[in-house]
């Protein structure tokens, strides 16, 4: 659990998630859903309890270390570089992933291959943009994108790591009703 002064969030949670399953975490505002995700992904250290992934205790590990293990997340508020284009945001995500995998030199070499995809970075970016229906926004700056497109880009950026576990923090909050079903269709496929 994690406490914030007198408030205890994410208390008494015991969860075992099976491989290849889709699980939803439902609760009222303030119930501790984001705190739960933040603890799993290393953005918050629990005050008590432990978090285990594939038989390894990951409690308190840094977010980057946890991401290397295959646990990735999207954010309730998309974490994008607003002054960059959609394609450039993808390339930043790929660059971070390549560097985290120990393949440094991403930005100094011609066409690095992306681990797990075995393809050049530009091709991986375009493939993921296509998968999430974002190719028509490729050259638009992130700051001018509709809410649903921003959410999809945030999720697409996590997919460069080919995560074993993908945690989505309120993937449809703040988007129009028309966009909600489209986002969930993209994510579930």
């Amino acid at each position: 659990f994690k406490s914030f002064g007198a408030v205890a969030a994410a208390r008494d949670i015991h969860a075992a998630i099976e491989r290849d399953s889709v699980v939803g975490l439902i609760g009222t505002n303030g119930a501790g859903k984001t705190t739960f995700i933040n603890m799993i992904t290393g953005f918050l250290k629990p005050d008590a309890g432990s978090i285990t992934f594939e038989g390894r205790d990951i409690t308190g590990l840094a977010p980057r270390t946890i991401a290397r293990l295959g646990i990735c997340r999207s954010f309730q508020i998309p974490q994008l570089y607003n002054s960059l284009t959609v394609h450039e945001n993808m390339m930043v995500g790929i660059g971070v992933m390549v560097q985290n995998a120990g393949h440094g030199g991403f930005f100094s070499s011609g066409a690095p291959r992306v681990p797990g995809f075995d393809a050049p970075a530009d091709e991986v970016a375009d493939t993921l943009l296509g998968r999430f229906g974002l190719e028509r926004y490729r050259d638009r700056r992130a700051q001018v994108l509709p809410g649903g497109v921003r959410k999809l880009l945030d999720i697409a950026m996590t997919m460069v790591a080919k995560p074993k576990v993908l945690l989505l923090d309120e993937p449809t909050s703040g988007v129009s009703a028309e966009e909600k079903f489209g986002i969930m269709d993209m994510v579930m496929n």
Side-chain angles (χ1 to χ4, degrees), residues 27-95:
T28 60
N29 287 341
K33 301 178 300 291
T34 297
T35 299
F36 177 69
I37 290 173
N38 285 340
M39 288 190 299
I40 291 171
T41 56
F43 287 88
L44 282 176
K45 184 176 181 186
D47 294 323
S50 64
I51 301 164
T52 305
F53 178 64
E54 295 184 330
R56 177 179 175 181
D57 185 356
I58 63 168
T59 311
L61 292 180
R64 182 174 284 188
T65 303
I66 291 171
R68 279 189 204 122
L69 294 173
I71 300 174
C72 297
R73 58 129 3 126
S74 72
F75 291 85
Q76 191 170 359
I77 299 170
Q79 303 296 294
L80 306 174
Y81 296 95
N82 284 327
S83 64
L84 299 180
T85 67
V86 167
H87 185 261
E88 290 166 341
N89 269 278
M90 288 299 296
M91 294 300 288
V92 168
I94 289 169

